[in-house]
Amino acid sequence: MRARSARPGPRPGPGKAGYTVLFATVLALALLGVLVATRGAATDGPLAAGEPSGHYAEPEGLGDAAADAMASAVRIEPGVPGRPATRAADRGSERGARRVEALPPSRPLEAAPREPSPAIGPLFSTEQDEPGHGCTASVVHSRQRDLLVTAAHCVYNDGFHTDVAFVPGYHDGEAPYGVWVPTSIDVDPEWMTGRDEDHDVAFLRVRQVGTDARVEDVTGAERIAFRPAPDRPARVLGYPGDAERPLACQSVVRRESASQLRFDCAGLPGGTSGSPLLTDVDAGSGLGTVVGVLGGKDEGGDDEVSYSSYFGAAVERLYRRAAG
């Protein structure tokens, strides 16, 4: 199994002979056990406890600091929200007004480079020498027009990460729709207390420093579906942790269990945690319906199979609480 979230961490130094090698080996194995147990999700960034309910309201100053740190990582004109994209509410509420892509399975069944989508982008961690991204998130429709969805393990590991920034449509160092920082993060208490893989989902409300813009008005938004039917064709689009452009793959979303979905596709590496499983993708806008996010079982899966917590009643309650 490989980790999907990827915050940079220290690398072990070279070993020595004899007992020193033995000691180093034992220590390395112990550290590996910790990484496997947490699926590689770093806990060395700044953390906040949040509320027992799973809600965290980020102080404005922390969000401002994260946005400032992103100035060294992306290029965008200060104060400009970016090029407006089609809003979910404006792209045709009736199915007759939309042309839905067929989404045939990728051949071979492996992720490949694809053009960015305005409503999907990497989640950057800013409290390091140089901001880097280790997860993916997407804008989903909400009444307040400011909501993202991702995997819980991307934003909560023994505390809420306070150095998060979202860059929708990111590519090659460009932030065409600006940088967005959380005003709040919501996870299920079951995730907080036991890292329950059936609750590996998080919602973030975001803002752009210096403007009153709403992210959904700028990027458009995916729809979100609860209790989705299985065996539907779907697309995953997400950002590897070391890549400047996204990868995508098309396959079929199936039920792994009553509480988990699976998506068979090779080549979705670390950094793609939180990527949306999209059905009913509009051929014009590229926006679709989120029925899951990469995470869940084994906090994402391995190089051949990806998983998602099932978007059932618990995720629907979390969405409604987060959306306000």
Side-chain angles (χ1 to χ4, degrees):
M1 302 297 180
R2 56 85 172 72
R4 287 194 182 277
S5 61
R7 287 177 176 241
R11 297 180 178 179
K16 295 182 180 180
Y19 287 107
T20 304
V21 172
L22 178 60
F23 174 79
T25 302
V26 171
L27 179 59
L29 288 173
L31 289 172
L32 178 61
V34 171
L35 289 175
V36 169
T38 62
R39 299 294 296 123
T43 58
D44 55 350
L47 301 174
E51 301 173 10
S53 64
H55 177 76
Y56 167 64
E58 177 154 293
E60 188 173 289
L62 290 178
D64 291 351
D68 287 344
M70 289 299 294
S72 66
V74 298
R75 295 185 295 275
I76 186 171
E77 295 182 36
V80 176
R83 300 188 298 272
T86 303
R87 284 183 54 188
D90 295 337
R91 70 177 199 263
S93 58
E94 297 181 2
R95 286 193 176 274
R98 302 172 60 235
R99 183 166 63 87
V100 176
E101 290 191 45
L103 301 181
S106 299
R107 293 288 183 264
L109 199 54
E110 184 174 358
R114 190 178 182 93
E115 287 300 305
S117 177
I120 301 171
L123 286 177
F124 278 79
S125 302
T126 62
E127 285 292 322
Q128 46 199 21
D129 292 339
E130 182 71 19
H133 57 89
C135 275
T136 301
S138 53
V139 183
V140 290
H141 177 62
S142 69
R143 183 170 57 87
Q144 300 294 337
R145 310 189 308 281
D146 62 355
L147 197 65
L148 314 180
V149 66
T150 188
H153 74 260
C154 292
V155 294
Y156 185 94
N157 294 284
D158 298 322
F160 289 92
H161 289 286
T162 65
D163 63 335
V164 174
F166 173 62
V167 186
Y170 175 79
H171 65 89
D172 307 305
E174 298 281 352
Y177 306 101
V179 173
W180 304 78
V181 294
T183 59
S184 65
I185 303 174
D186 281 271
V187 300
D188 196 285
E190 297 288 336
W191 178 262
M192 292 180 69
T193 58
R195 298 182 70 85
D196 187 331
E197 63 186 19
D198 294 340
H199 297 277
D200 193 4
V201 181
F203 291 97
L204 296 75
R205 293 181 67 172
V206 295
R207 65 185 174 95
Q208 187 178 62
V209 176
T211 79
D212 294 325
R214 302 295 179 97
V215 67
E216 183 173 328
D217 296 336
V218 175
T219 67
E222 318 288 356
R223 294 177 172 88
I224 188 167
F226 304 105
R227 303 169 190 83
D231 303 323
R232 302 273 318 273
R235 173 184 296 158
V236 163
L237 189 147
Y239 286 79
D242 59 355
E244 292 292 286
R245 285 178 171 265
L247 296 175
C249 187
Q250 293 177 185
S251 186
V252 176
V253 177
R254 305 188 189 279
R255 288 296 287 266
E256 171 72 4
S257 67
S259 57
Q260 294 285 318
L261 300 176
R262 69 178 286 155
F263 184 85
D264 292 87
C265 178
L268 289 165
T272 58
S273 275
S275 299
L277 288 164
L278 295 173
T279 62
D280 300 321
V281 175
D282 182 78
S285 68
L287 297 170
T289 299
V290 181
V291 297
V293 293
L294 298 194
K297 183 178 177 181
D298 299 326
E299 293 185 17
D302 56 30
D303 195 52
E304 301 294 329
V305 182
S306 297
Y307 299 101
S308 168
S309 304
Y310 182 67
F311 277 20
V315 176
E316 183 176 16
R317 287 193 299 271
L318 184 65
Y319 164 83
R320 298 196 184 287
R321 185 184 81 186

